[in-house]
Amino acid sequence: MSLYVMKFGGSSVGDTERMKRVAGRVVEKADEGHQCVVVVSAMGDTTDDLIDQAKQLNSELPAREMDMLLTTGEQISISLLSMAIQALGRKAISFTGWQAGFRTESVHGKARINDIHPERVNQALAEGNIVIVAGFQGMTEDGEITTLGRGGSDTTAVALAAAIKADACEIYTDVDGIYSTDPRIVKVARKLKEISYDEMLELANLGAAVLHPRAVEYAKHSGVPLIVRSSFNHNEGTVVKEEATMEQGVVVSGIAYDKNVARISILGVPDVPGVLAEVFGALASEQLDVDIIVQSGVMDGKADFSFSVALSDRENALRVIEALHSRLPYREVTSEENLVKVSIVGAGMVSHPGVAAKMFKVISGEGVSIKMVSTSEIKVSCVIDGEKLHDVIKALHTAYDLDTAEQAVIGGPQVRR
């Protein structure tokens, strides 16, 4: 008997019919002789709907009360799924994140998991139950409810799999694996049979929405086998593991994009030691993450530099920079929106010169200017205007020989074996 953690996202449990389909899928796994722990997200657009309702009442959105509100979405899912499984003749029990033993740091909205005490989960399994656990949530040591941030149900699933020593963690979604790029943009995207933790972590951090970055970090750190597959069919999924076999001739494994990008430029800054430390230290103290940093040449003792932040952090970042003006006499601050970051990722890039040059050539061939560039051993990222994003992605996908003759599988009816 093997022990599986199965995670289903909001689209997989978006309505009662889909909930029944998930229940059937879980019971199928149990009927094969496996123990099952199921982690679920809130149904469909529940989280967005709750946020919209909160905004109608209070524009400030108090962090503690938002956690109290948003965790109810997953509680609805776990109870309904438990009922659906029981209706199929199987024992099932649902637990909130804190009932399942998740202890987090005292940060509302994006808490990290400090520890997991899964005794109740293990006891329920020993009693023959299918265990349903709410993703995305936990509790502090002093009893405050917290959430793990968007995508936190992935993290819940992987962390729980590590804590209960599961044989594998399966992430079920509306696509049947990890593709070389977003199959909604490139219909002939290549489904990857396997991918390394490092490549997947880069893709997740760079905008690929199929897995949450913290979930991949947990999997890599704990060695949890991670499988991404469809909740709508039984197609073979993608395995995320320590070392993946590189397909012959494929240097770039995937292409990711992130629309949540803004560029801020500080012009006419004194070229003296400590300026960058002052600026980015102030941003860090406000929990604002900076991505790409570019400094231009010095003229008349003054320098210009730019950096990218999440579009959602743009206003806060500008506020921090403006507060520095009294002790950092810059000439001007500008910002740009409507930008995207396009990235190529591949473990084979380190031993193949010219990969970045090809990317720059392809982007320029689409008539698009590159505003910022960032590189590492296994990725190249370019910040560009967002108007021709789809054209750029399709051109890059073709240029790196990632197109296939098969159509990507997205959603669809349940396919029985």
Side-chain angles (χ1 to χ4, degrees), residues 296-309:
S296 61
V298 179
M299 182 177 294
D300 298 327
K302 304 286 187 179
D304 301 336
F305 65 90
S306 303
F307 59 92
S308 64
V309 294

Side-chain angles (χ1 to χ4, degrees), residues 30-31 56 94 107 119 163 192 209 279 346 352:
D31 286 346
Q56 293 173 29
S94 63
V107 176
E119 290 82 8
L192 309 178
V279 171
H352 287 76

Side-chain angles (χ1 to χ4, degrees), residues 180 190 192 194-196 198-200 202-203 244-255 343-359 376-380 396-403:
S180 51
R190 180 189 301 254
L192 309 178
E194 54 187 39
I195 188 171
S196 70
D198 289 336
E199 289 174 303
M200 190 65 244
E202 285 282 15
L203 287 171
T245 304
M246 190 167 62
E247 191 173 335
Q248 186 67 31
V250 176
V251 177
V252 172
S253 298
I255 301 169
S343 307
I344 57 173
V345 174
M349 290 168 53
V350 67
S351 58
H352 287 76
V355 176
K358 179 184 284 190
M359 183 180 191
S376 74
E377 287 187 341
I378 65 170
K379 65 99 173 172
V380 181
L396 288 170
H397 200 268
T398 299
Y400 290 108
D401 299 320
L402 293 172
D403 294 352

Side-chain angles (χ1 to χ4, degrees), residues 153-205:
S153 292
D154 286 353
T155 308
T156 299
V158 178
L160 187 56
I164 64 176
K165 297 180 172 54
D167 294 279
C169 179
E170 296 184 328
I171 306 292
Y172 290 81
T173 182
D174 59 352
V175 293
D176 66 340
I178 296 165
Y179 281 82
S180 51
T181 195
D182 187 343
R184 296 166 184 82
I185 295 176
V186 180
K187 302 300 183 185
V188 291
R190 180 189 301 254
K191 189 172 83 170
L192 309 178
K193 184 176 181 179
E194 54 187 39
I195 188 171
S196 70
Y197 289 128
D198 289 336
E199 289 174 303
M200 190 65 244
L201 185 57
E202 285 282 15
L203 287 171
N205 277 317

Side-chain angles (χ1 to χ4, degrees), residues 35-269:
Q35 290 182 303
C36 299
V37 176
V38 186
V39 173
V40 290
S41 302
M43 297 173 65
D45 297 325
T46 298
T47 299
D48 290 334
D49 292 342
L50 290 171
I51 292 172
D52 288 342
Q53 291 178 53
K55 287 178 178 177
Q56 293 173 29
L57 298 171
N58 189 333
S59 61
E60 297 298 321
L61 298 184
R64 180 188 182 276
E65 302 310 323
M66 287 304 293
D67 277 0
M68 293 289 287
L69 174 67
L70 296 183
T71 50
T72 63
E74 279 69 23
Q75 291 181 57
I76 292 170
S77 293
I78 60 173
S79 55
L80 290 177
L81 182 57
S82 180
M83 294 177 195
I85 290 172
Q86 290 176 39
L88 295 176
R90 278 281 184 169
K91 291 177 63 178
I93 186 170
S94 63
F95 293 134
T96 63
W98 46 94
Q99 287 175 321
F102 281 81
R103 298 293 176 263
T104 73
E105 61 185 3
S106 300
V107 176
H108 289 291
K110 51 182 177 181
R112 288 186 172 271
I113 300 166
N114 284 339
D115 202 3
I116 304 174
H117 302 281
E119 290 82 8
R120 290 191 71 178
V121 173
N122 288 328
Q123 180 61 35
L125 286 170
E127 293 170 357
N129 286 286
I130 294 171
V131 180
I132 320 297
V133 176
F136 175 69
Q137 59 186 240
M139 182 175 283
T140 66
E141 290 297 334
D142 56 358
E144 288 292 314
I145 292 173
T146 57
T147 62
L148 308 183
R150 282 301 181 104
S153 292
D154 286 353
T155 308
T156 299
V158 178
L160 187 56
I164 64 176
K165 297 180 172 54
D167 294 279
C169 179
E170 296 184 328
I171 306 292
Y172 290 81
T173 182
D174 59 352
V175 293
D176 66 340
I178 296 165
Y179 281 82
S180 51
T181 195
D182 187 343
R184 296 166 184 82
I185 295 176
V186 180
K187 302 300 183 185
V188 291
R190 180 189 301 254
K191 189 172 83 170
L192 309 178
K193 184 176 181 179
E194 54 187 39
I195 188 171
S196 70
Y197 289 128
D198 289 336
E199 289 174 303
M200 190 65 244
L201 185 57
E202 285 282 15
L203 287 171
N205 277 317
L206 294 167
V210 68
L211 282 174
H212 192 277
R214 279 194 284 174
V216 183
E217 288 178 353
Y218 253 107
K220 178 177 171 63
H221 177 73
S222 57
V224 172
L226 199 54
I227 304 166
V228 178
R229 58 192 314 178
S230 174
S231 60
F232 297 97
N233 60 58
H234 289 83
N235 294 350
E236 186 177 350
T238 300
V239 180
V240 185
K241 60 183 188 177
E242 187 60 44
E243 295 291 338
T245 304
M246 190 167 62
E247 191 173 335
Q248 186 67 31
V250 176
V251 177
V252 172
S253 298
I255 301 169
Y257 64 92
D258 183 1
K259 293 182 178 180
N260 184 30
V261 177
R263 178 168 78 159
I264 295 175
S265 299
I266 307 180
L267 310 177
V269 180

